[in-house]
Amino acid sequence: MAPRDKASAATAQHGYEFFGPPGAFGISFGLPLLVYLFTFACNDVSGCPAPALLSPRASSLEQIKLQVGWPQDGIRGLASWKATGALLGYYLVNLILYRVLPASHVDGTVLASGGRLKYRFNTMYSNTATLAALAAGTVAQGADFPVWTFIDENYIQLLTASIGISYAISTFVYVRSFSVKPGNKDNRELAAGGHTGNLLYDWFIGRELNPRVTIPLIGEIDIKEWCELRPGMMGWIILNCAWCARQYRNYGYVTDSIVCITAVQAVYTIDSWWNESAILTTMDITTDGFGMMLAFGDLVWVPFVYTLQTRYLSVHPQSLGPLGLMAMLSLIGTGFFIFRSANSQKNAFRTNPNDPNVSHLEFIETKTGSKLLTTGWWGVARHINYLGDWIQSWPYSLPTGLAGYQILAAGSGAEGAFVMRDGREVVPGNAKGWGMLITYFYIVYFAVLLIHRDRRDDEKCHRKYGEDWEKYKKIVRWRIIPGIY
């Protein structure tokens, strides 16, 4: 079969996802603009959202640019060599820690070729070392620790650098994927739905399944697995801590709400490091190629979008109080219990079905030899872990309350205002409620993401198991939320 025919066959079998090439274009170049929009619309210059954005027809372009903190150098001011160099240095430190710290070696799942890749896992060690260094610096210098002030002062430029790096990595792995040959000794494979022949779509979705590269003095790196848990997930915690430090610099204290969000998100990320080997059974590793979709998600979307709430609270502090804090912790505890218990049960069953903890579970054995659980957590819903994951997202946004604020000049004398150390006053004003479009975005986005993942997995399993999958769906009726969806 000619290469073009093979690409056509791959497209016909798997179909385009994300609305094909138009969707790939919109996501690849639209989402970065959305992150910039969040950054400028919710700021520490005029408000969240900026007052001019609430009445754009009555505001001039210059007025809007002034209120959102648009760089004086224009578009050129969105990037800087200083921020780019600092971010690359952060990546280099991650790579060095990956190589020098102790690690466990784990075999990946069986590939289509029958081979198995080996993975080097030490994310918990390397990220703990990074956190320890940051903690030591904070103890020594407090909220003025240079890492925190640098992030605050160069946030937009760090965002631009992260977007650029995600584009660069996506292009590198796309070009390099054309060297993949069938039957190669390195177990390199193309992703089943990633070689359609459309350049833009394949660049976005990822042609190669598990691209790897050997770096001098560092050794071999599995680019996809490394990006999934290291720089972006670690960056999530770092940015949250930077916003806690900014709140302290602004007001001389940190609130229970920003500490709560930072803590529960840290628990979530640290749990993923502790259970690092569990990533090998996820769709990201076993099915999806590595392209712009995952690179941008790992390196930009996670650290910069998932920290919108703490960034908001760094300027507009909110207090939960004992009852509110207890409610948030109860929600996060419930969600985490469902998420971790379900995933642990699945991984234990896949690893050793005779384990006493899972040997009593009932299942359907498919013609492919796979076993689909029909009792336990996975008998409640086909993606019950997604429900736990979504419940965990609510305490990320709820502490921001009826979000929205305006920043007034010093001495305004507004009633009930939060007064910054520089004298400026922060009040809800006309922005009250409008900020929820930003601080509650994560809950809505995450729900859409999980539903989309469920649909993708359903199609994949139907192709793989055929009538056995349809039989399974009649036994386990619900997708994510029992009795509802």
Side-chain angles (χ1 to χ4, degrees), residues 241-381:
C241 291
W243 302 138
C244 287
R246 181 164 79 171
Q247 187 184 78
Y248 187 85
R249 290 196 303 275
N250 282 338
Y251 297 101
Y253 60 82
V254 290
T255 57
D256 54 5
S257 58
I258 198 170
V259 171
C260 176
I261 295 174
T262 300
V264 297
Q265 290 184 345
V267 169
Y268 180 86
T269 55
I270 292 172
D271 173 72
S272 70
W273 305 339
W274 182 263
N275 297 280
E276 186 172 11
S277 61
I279 196 176
L280 299 181
T281 60
T282 63
M283 183 183 295
D284 286 357
I285 298 296
T286 63
T287 305
D288 293 335
F290 187 75
M292 173 59 186
M293 179 180 72
L294 287 181
F296 180 83
D298 293 339
L299 307 180
V300 182
W301 194 257
V302 168
F304 289 93
V305 173
Y306 290 11
T307 56
L308 288 173
Q309 296 84 6
T310 52
R311 184 169 178 262
Y312 171 89
L313 291 170
S314 71
V315 179
H316 191 211
Q318 300 291 307
S319 179
L320 291 171
L323 291 179
L325 187 60
M326 187 178 299
M328 294 304 104
L329 294 178
S330 297
L331 269 177
I332 197 73
T334 300
F336 182 78
F337 174 74
I338 296 173
F339 173 79
R340 179 47 58 203
S341 297
N343 281 340
S344 296
Q345 188 179 80
K346 177 185 66 175
N347 290 326
F349 185 79
R350 285 182 173 179
T351 304
N352 179 18
N354 297 318
D355 185 324
N357 292 320
V358 294
S359 60
H360 64 284
L361 298 176
E362 299 177 10
F363 57 86
I364 291 176
E365 185 160 5
T366 68
K367 294 181 179 63
T368 64
S370 298
K371 297 175 181 178
L372 305 176
L373 289 170
T374 57
T375 59
W377 280 113
W378 301 92
V380 178

Side-chain angles (χ1 to χ4, degrees), residues 138-197:
T138 304
V139 169
Q141 297 180 281
D144 292 316
F145 181 45
V147 171
W148 309 138
T149 56
F150 182 88
I151 290 172
D152 190 5
E153 296 166 0
N154 298 273
Y155 179 72
I156 294 173
Q157 292 75 22
L158 289 170
L159 168 60
T160 302
S162 297
I163 294 172
I165 290 173
S166 70
Y167 282 168
I169 292 177
S170 304
T171 303
F172 171 77
V173 295
Y174 174 78
V175 173
R176 192 169 178 270
S177 70
F178 287 94
S179 64
V180 176
K181 304 299 180 185
N184 62 85
K185 64 179 182 178
D186 296 322
N187 290 318
R188 296 179 65 193
E189 292 186 0
L190 297 181
H195 49 108
T196 66

